[in-house]
Amino acid sequence: MVNGEQKIPAGAGSEAGIAAATKLILTEDATRFVTELQRRFNHTRQELLHRRALRQTAIDAGEMPDFLPETAAVRAGEWTVLPVPEDLADRKVEITGPVDRKMIINALNSGARVFMADFEDASSPTWANMIEGQANLYDAVRRQVDFSTPDGKEYALNEAPATLMVRPRGWHLIDRNVEVDGEPISASLLDFGIYFFHNAAELVAAGSGPYFYLPKLESHLEARLWNDVFVFAEEELNLPLGTIKATVLIETILAAFEMDEILYELRDHSAGLNAGRWDYIFSMIKKFRNYPEMVLPDRGAVTMNVPFMNNYTSLLVKTCHRRRAHAMGGMAAFIPNRRDPEVTETALAKVRADKEREASIGHDGTWVAHPDLIPLALEVFEQVLDGAPNQIARQRHDIEVAASDLLDIAVEGGRITESGVRQNVDVGIQYLAAWLSGNGAAAIYNLMEDAATAEISRSQIWQWVHVGASTDSGVKIDKPYVGRVADEEMERLRTELGDDAFVAGHFEMARTLFERVALADDFANFLTLPGYDMLPGATGSRKQI
């Protein structure tokens, strides 16, 4: 409520809704808090981004990643993270999704142990999505997040909702809607700061706490920055050290070499690590994009059983359990197709096998994108855990992973096919059309696609073009060929959707963005960076601080 009068939002995305959410969220005290975060920590954030660029230059020059000699003592030490609160002990199934009001209610009511409300890859960063998302979470924490559809359908929280976690945007992103000292604010600090300021004390009073997922980290120094932010935030709000708990997504190849160190930096605040599989594949392509010998085949062939994927998840489990931290599994992105039971049955068998693999190697829980997958995933983990909330006590001393194992991209039978090229172009354009329309989680071909899978699509095209790859049928993958495929896919989409829906769906703009990040001479680190400049509604009324 705003002054006890108007519900949030007053029509999602409407001017009234944005104004009401802004009034609720960007209070004088809240803006003062995020201003201080920006002034204290943004310089370090920028230095760390510069370190990323230097690291990429070194990789391009032939310096392959390895475990850090300067942190060998941390890896060898016998330390553990602090225990997590009771409502984070059992994380067998977590569901993720964007921060729109209906999604929040359905996810919290879904039967999953945890709902991760996502300001990052599952949300298109329009100002309406970001500010109304904060208002929606404000209401959810206070159990007043009811929602009515125009046709009269009512949504409200049940008596035992999932534990809430929040994923702020990554260190690389800014938000131009809030400026501090004439510069756009760090999106990470804005998302974290606003949510923490408004909700931390309320969550603690209710027996929970401010819990986060941290995306896109590439080093333990980036984890150290988050820890510094957490310590400052807790002190400012007079909360005990360790009130904040955060799970780090290991979704970059460089972070995989520093898992011990990342846990160590966050040891007072750590809630474990998560195997962010889709971004991890993207990271492998991105970091070694200039290496012809590191080219991956069609993305469908890059399963969790290929060496570099299997090895990093095994190391993650071993590392987490040694440090008494949760080791969370990856996303099952399948969406059940109620109109085609055969498709659903085949996909569910694959999901079951994937979750059985995760539980068997020691993961303490897993992610799903759709509520219909929760019973299956829960059954698998409950069978293995046999009444326990997790299997942290299960040590994996038998696992040994060398640096070369993390870089082993061998894919038995893997090929680059013409259909693989077409799939990347098709899915990339369709996802970007949804993203430019304000939807960051798009259902495409029975899969819930987010920015991570679009990153795989465009980065594979970029690498295949730049290393001069050909398909298994001998077709050279160059810019003209990709352009012809895009022409054909655009024509097909126009025919299937009709002219009006095609134009309204931002497909022409999506193609422009896709080709900008897939065919440019220089590789864009994240498609969301140039995408933000093209996103309708990304910038509303700027707030100068």
Side-chain angles (χ1 to χ4, degrees), residues 285-511:
I285 300 166
K286 175 167 75 170
K287 290 301 176 187
F288 306 112
R289 59 185 180 261
N290 295 313
Y291 285 70
E293 67 274 22
M294 297 286 282
V295 172
L296 291 173
D298 291 358
R299 75 172 188 170
V302 186
T303 68
M304 296 306 298
N305 293 317
V306 304
F308 79 93
M309 297 295 285
N310 180 62
N311 292 331
Y312 110 90
T313 52
S314 296
L315 181 59
L316 185 147
V317 170
K318 177 182 180 177
T319 304
C320 285
H321 287 186
R322 182 185 177 197
R323 307 308 181 182
R324 306 293 298 170
H326 281 79
M328 300 302 298
M331 171 66 79
F334 175 68
I335 303 171
N337 187 330
R338 295 183 175 92
R339 292 176 296 179
D340 194 334
E342 187 175 341
V343 168
T344 296
E345 183 179 352
T346 300
L348 289 180
K350 293 180 180 178
V351 172
R352 178 178 291 276
D354 178 51
K355 300 311 161 191
E356 288 175 345
R357 180 196 60 81
E358 288 183 328
S360 68
I361 67 173
H363 283 286
D364 301 292
T366 193
W367 274 16
V368 299
H370 194 279
D372 287 358
L373 300 181
I374 292 172
L376 183 157
L378 193 58
E379 175 195 337
V380 168
F381 275 86
E382 286 185 335
Q383 184 174 4
V384 171
L385 271 61
D386 193 25
N390 54 62
Q391 51 184 333
I392 290 174
R394 181 184 172 194
Q395 299 294 299
R396 294 303 311 272
H397 301 298
D398 56 308
I399 293 173
E400 295 293 336
V401 177
S404 58
D405 297 322
L406 294 176
L407 301 173
D408 184 353
I409 66 157
V411 180
E412 186 175 353
R415 299 175 299 161
I416 301 173
T417 69
E418 292 186 56
S419 63
V421 175
R422 188 170 298 277
Q423 180 190 32
N424 281 338
V425 174
D426 177 18
V427 171
I429 291 174
Q430 285 202 57
Y431 175 77
L432 289 175
W435 190 85
L436 290 165
S437 299
N439 177 20
I444 303 173
Y445 303 130
N446 299 312
L447 293 174
M448 186 61 73
E449 306 281 10
D450 67 6
T453 45
E455 292 281 29
I456 296 173
S457 294
R458 67 92 179 187
S459 60
Q460 279 205 308
I461 293 294
W462 191 96
Q463 187 182 44
W464 291 343
V465 168
H466 280 261
V467 301
S470 296
T471 69
D472 60 346
S473 59
V475 176
K476 184 175 177 58
I477 306 173
D478 56 17
K479 292 180 183 181
Y481 171 61
V482 175
R484 290 193 298 273
V485 172
D487 287 340
E488 293 165 5
E489 291 305 310
M490 292 288 282
E491 185 59 33
R492 178 185 61 80
L493 288 167
R494 183 185 290 273
T495 300
E496 291 178 358
L497 297 171
D499 286 343
D500 291 344
F502 182 84
V503 172
H506 297 297
F507 284 94
E508 292 288 0
M509 192 186 304
R511 177 181 179 172

Side-chain angles (χ1 to χ4, degrees), residues 4 10-11 20 28 48 50 56 77 87 106 111 117 135 145 148 234 272 316 337 405 482 525-526:
E28 184 176 343
L48 290 171
H50 180 61
Q56 183 63 57
D87 62 342
N106 286 341
V145 67
S148 301
E234 288 165 338
L316 185 147
N337 187 330
D405 297 322
V482 175
N525 282 323
F526 296 94

Side-chain angles (χ1 to χ4, degrees), residues 38 45 168-170 173-175 185-192:
Q38 176 78 357
R45 179 187 75 90
R169 284 169 283 180
L173 296 170
I174 58 170
D175 195 309
I185 196 169
S186 157
S188 303
L189 297 176
L190 177 67
D191 296 345
F192 163 79

Side-chain angles (χ1 to χ4, degrees), residues 79 81 84 91 94 165 212-214 217 223 246-251 255-266 269-276 312-313 315-321 323-330 362-367 392:
W79 50 269
V81 304
V84 296
R91 300 170 64 183
E94 300 185 346
M165 300 185 78
F212 297 91
Y213 259 99
L214 305 180
L217 269 63
T247 301
V248 172
L249 288 139
I250 301 299
E251 52 188 353
F257 286 93
E258 301 183 35
M259 288 191 278
D260 268 309
E261 294 90 332
I262 287 169
L263 286 173
Y264 183 79
E265 294 294 343
L266 287 160
H269 298 102
S270 179
L273 305 176
N274 175 288
Y312 110 90
T313 52
L315 181 59
L316 185 147
V317 170
K318 177 182 180 177
T319 304
C320 285
H321 287 186
R323 307 308 181 182
R324 306 293 298 170
H326 281 79
M328 300 302 298
H363 283 286
D364 301 292
T366 193
W367 274 16
I392 290 174

